[in-house]
Amino acid sequence: MDQGRPRLHRSSANASVTSVIAGNEVTQAPGGMRRSVNPARTGEVVAEVALGDAKTFAAAARAARAAQPAWSDVPAPVRGRAIAHIGRLVEANAGALARLVTREIGKPYAEALGEVREIVDTCDFFLGEGRRLYGQTVPSEMPDKQLFTFRNPVGVVGVITAGNFPVAVPSWYLVPALLCGNAVVWKPAEYAAASARALFELFIRGGGLPDGVLNLVLAGGEQTFAGLETALGEGCLDKVGFTGSTKVGARIGELAGRHLQSPCLELGGKNPMVVAPSADVGLAARAALFSGFGTAGQRCTSLGTVIVHEDVREEFTAKLDQAVRQAAVGDPFRDVVYGPMLNERFADRFEEYLSWIQPHHRLLGSTGTGRITGANPREAFVGDPEAGIFYHPVIVDGLREDDALFREETFGPLIGLMGYRDLGEAIRLANAPGYGLSSSIYTRDPAEVFRFRRGISAGMVSVNNSTSGAEAHLPFGGNGKSGNGSRQSGVWVLDQFTRWQSMNWDYSGSLQKAQMDVAELHADESFRLTD
Ligand code: UN1
């Protein structure tokens, strides 16, 4: 990686980042200026961000509407080439992009590189789709008539993404949406604006995208919502893709529904891991460490609750406690399991989750709880805890079904632990919070694997693997509070960004009426074989 050109410019300490509509930078900031700060060193400003407002979003949707027809006229194989070039350019800039992600949201550098890899994987998958985008030829029930199906682009897609995966998750939308012939308005998380702008540049330059085909809008949540309302009302938006909280997803779903649209919603998770008596307990403990605390527990696929069989509960708990206690936390440019919270907003919310801890809970995994400071130190800390927004990992043992910590997603370095006696009970507990994104089971019993797969409500099931770390070409998405059943990635996402059109062509020269002018064959239903 990191070969070839052009390269991303080394970002200066106070780089200013703006929205871009139809190829023009929006230098005004009707939504105000906002600082994007390094959460591992809060004294370091990564970028000054000029925020737009509802009007900025609506203007971007109009620009996209104007640019879309010409883009959909570009032959799909040529659009596929654009995706190929974007992938190569991202690869050539992998180190710089990953460093920016680490600086801006505090994801450990190795993970940030993995995130960039996920963009390249997505481009690699879709570059060939330009030469497929298959429709079908289908036989007709009448002679001299042929049936066909075609995939048409939906039109203009509005994409709103979170900042925990500031570049990979956006690419899951942008790559297939563009490949299918749509124009896009992308509204990334404001606190990850510099990473978003860098990815935007790589798409525009790598893809040679005409002005207006991809637009970037930097704006706050409420202004974006108002902009969505305007754009939908004006008929300038045909599809909304949203990755973020369940609460906001429900609002977006409601708004889109009023316009008879089904959005692509990728929401929160309360992802369970079941550890069965036959499990490799040490392996399960290592997986719980990675999926519970990697990215400081701020993935939508992060582990929520471990549901462990009573026969192995003590052994598992001891191993996990030890692994988490020893895990390096701190400076994300060094070798750590996790770094800081994404930004202060997430730290504030995490403080609230910590307030849900009850006297019946036993806390494990660290030398303290809450923010890591000189006065509240963590043994395995790398760097200066006071420089950034770092939190102790928490294992909450003894979770009960009516605990808020059991029922709600707790975005951050916190997992719950509870016991079970039979698999039916474990599956019931795994489904009880009502989310359904990812899940995991550790067992050596194949019958348990298939019983769990069938019973679990999640869109994704891992067997002897962690809840996070989905590969970029399998359907990704959830049910219940985790989404509306939409799926991203692989061939499955094509149904989000295209609409099927069917065509029938009668070349018989007569009016053949379907269901009426159909030849019938007569079966002898009374026929029986003689013994
Ligand atoms: C997310 O947190 O929104 O499976 C996406 C994973 C990653 C993607 C997570 N490949 O954990």
Side-chain angles (χ1 to χ4, degrees):
M1 302 248 257
D2 249 335
Q3 281 147 30
R5 62 192 74 195
R7 300 278 164 84
L8 284 181
H9 298 298
R10 179 176 275 279
S11 36
S12 62
N14 272 325
S16 124
V17 176
T18 68
S19 303
V20 182
I21 300 178
N24 300 311
E25 291 208 330
V26 184
T27 46
Q28 307 90 314
M33 292 300 291
R34 184 188 199 283
R35 285 200 157 150
S36 174
V37 166
N38 180 342
R41 291 167 209 275
T42 48
E44 181 189 322
V45 177
V46 177
E48 302 279 353
V49 184
L51 293 180
D53 61 5
K55 289 193 174 117
T56 318
F57 189 95
R62 277 178 225 122
R65 172 62 86 223
Q68 194 266 333
W71 178 242
S72 73
D73 284 346
V74 173
V78 178
R79 298 197 303 260
R81 290 289 295 155
I83 298 303
H85 290 311
I86 291 168
R88 297 294 73 81
L89 199 59
V90 169
E91 205 161 23
N93 286 277
L97 187 58
R99 281 189 289 280
L100 182 55
V101 166
T102 297
R103 275 181 68 215
E104 194 168 34
I105 57 131
K107 180 175 287 199
Y109 181 64
E111 263 188 62
L113 266 182
E115 166 156 7
V116 173
R117 179 82 246 168
E118 206 161 334
I119 308 169
V120 175
D121 294 345
T122 301
C123 290
D124 283 355
F125 184 87
F126 283 105
L127 63 88
E129 194 57 42
R131 290 188 186 270
R132 285 188 297 271
L133 270 186
Y134 291 145
Q136 292 121 337
T137 58
V138 180
S140 166
E141 61 194 35
M142 283 165 294
D144 295 328
K145 186 178 175 194
Q146 183 66 52
L147 313 180
F148 306 85
T149 66
F150 298 85
R151 280 191 185 276
N152 285 340
V154 294
V156 175
V157 178
V159 175
I160 301 163
T161 50
N164 60 338
F165 274 81
V167 291
V169 169
S171 80
W172 296 356
Y173 291 100
L174 305 186
V175 169
L178 293 169
L179 184 276
C180 291
N182 302 286
V184 178
V185 177
W186 175 31
K187 203 300 280 184
E190 316 90 277
Y191 61 87
S195 304
R197 181 62 194 267
L199 186 70
F200 175 83
E201 292 295 333
L202 293 170
F203 267 69
I204 296 289
R205 290 164 197 245
L209 302 180
D211 290 345
V213 168
L214 175 62
N215 305 278
L216 181 73
V217 174
L218 305 173
E222 284 308 321
Q223 287 297 321
T224 303
F225 194 81
L228 272 180
E229 259 180 321
T230 308
L232 285 163
E234 289 179 359
C236 282
L237 212 54
D238 305 293
K239 180 91 189 178
V240 182
F242 172 75
T243 296
S245 71
T246 302
K247 206 166 130 209
V248 176
R251 276 185 76 194
I252 290 182
E254 197 182 327
L255 173 62
R258 262 186 265 144
H259 293 271
L260 305 181
Q261 291 191 17
S262 58
C264 179
L265 300 174
E266 203 259 273
L267 311 176
K270 185 75 182 173
N271 308 299
M273 174 186 284
V274 171
V275 182
S278 66
D280 178 336
V281 171
L283 188 63
R286 288 199 295 284
L289 167 69
F290 169 68
S291 56
F293 301 101
T295 330
Q298 300 168 111
R299 293 189 187 210
C300 57
T301 55
S302 289
L303 171 60
T305 306
V306 191
I307 303 162
V308 53
H309 195 276
E310 294 292 357
D311 287 357
V312 288
R313 183 169 174 179
E314 209 180 304
E315 183 193 350
F316 174 83
T317 308
K319 286 200 155 104
L320 178 63
D321 179 40
Q322 193 194 26
V324 176
R325 263 174 212 285
Q326 288 171 354
V329 175
D331 182 348
F333 276 107
R334 291 170 61 188
D335 189 13
V336 293
V337 172
Y338 72 88
M341 302 300 285
L342 299 168
N343 78 3
E344 281 291 352
R345 197 172 97 201
F346 291 87
D348 292 348
R349 253 178 37 190
F350 189 64
E351 293 278 0
E352 195 191 327
Y353 304 141
L354 291 175
S355 76
W356 297 349
I357 293 170
Q358 302 283 319
H360 64 265
H361 295 143
R362 179 169 70 125
L363 305 187
L364 303 166
S366 199
T367 41
T369 328
R371 197 152 174 163
I372 305 173
T373 59
N376 184 21
R378 170 167 165 90
E379 253 162 38
F381 192 87
V382 180
D384 173 12
E386 307 265 358
I389 319 163
F390 297 97
Y391 275 78
H392 285 277
V394 199
I395 304 165
V396 181
D397 188 19
L399 225 53
R400 293 180 189 161
E401 268 188 82
D402 54 358
D403 289 345
L405 285 177
F406 172 78
R407 285 182 279 107
E408 304 292 333
E409 180 181 33
T410 51
F411 212 66
L414 182 153
I415 62 171
L417 208 153
M418 65 207 302
Y420 78 93
R421 285 248 165 251
D422 78 63
L423 189 62
E425 184 195 358
I427 294 172
R428 192 186 60 72
L429 289 170
N431 288 334
Y435 291 84
L437 187 63
S438 184
S439 62
S440 153
I441 184 165
Y442 274 77
T443 178
R444 289 187 171 104
D445 178 349
E448 282 194 333
V449 169
F450 285 101
R451 223 180 122 201
F452 181 74
R453 184 209 68 72
R454 212 168 151 253
I456 195 73
S457 61
M460 298 180 286
V461 184
S462 292
V463 182
N464 297 331
N465 190 16
S466 97
T467 54
S468 59
E471 297 186 38
H473 53 290
L474 261 193
F476 187 102
N479 307 315
K481 292 200 259 177
S482 296
N484 57 349
S486 51
R487 293 293 179 265
Q488 298 186 278
S489 294
V491 291
W492 300 273
V493 76
L494 296 176
D495 287 335
Q496 295 295 326
F497 297 123
T498 58
R499 295 219 170 102
W500 283 110
Q501 182 181 57
S502 65
M503 183 173 92
N504 73 86
W505 185 343
D506 192 321
Y507 48 93
S508 68
S510 57
L511 180 64
Q512 304 190 86
K513 298 193 276 312
Q515 296 94 42
M516 288 179 262
D517 297 334
V518 182
E520 281 221 37
L521 300 175
H522 297 284
D524 177 1
E525 286 172 9
S526 63
F527 175 76
R528 297 290 179 277
L529 291 174
T530 47
D531 293 317

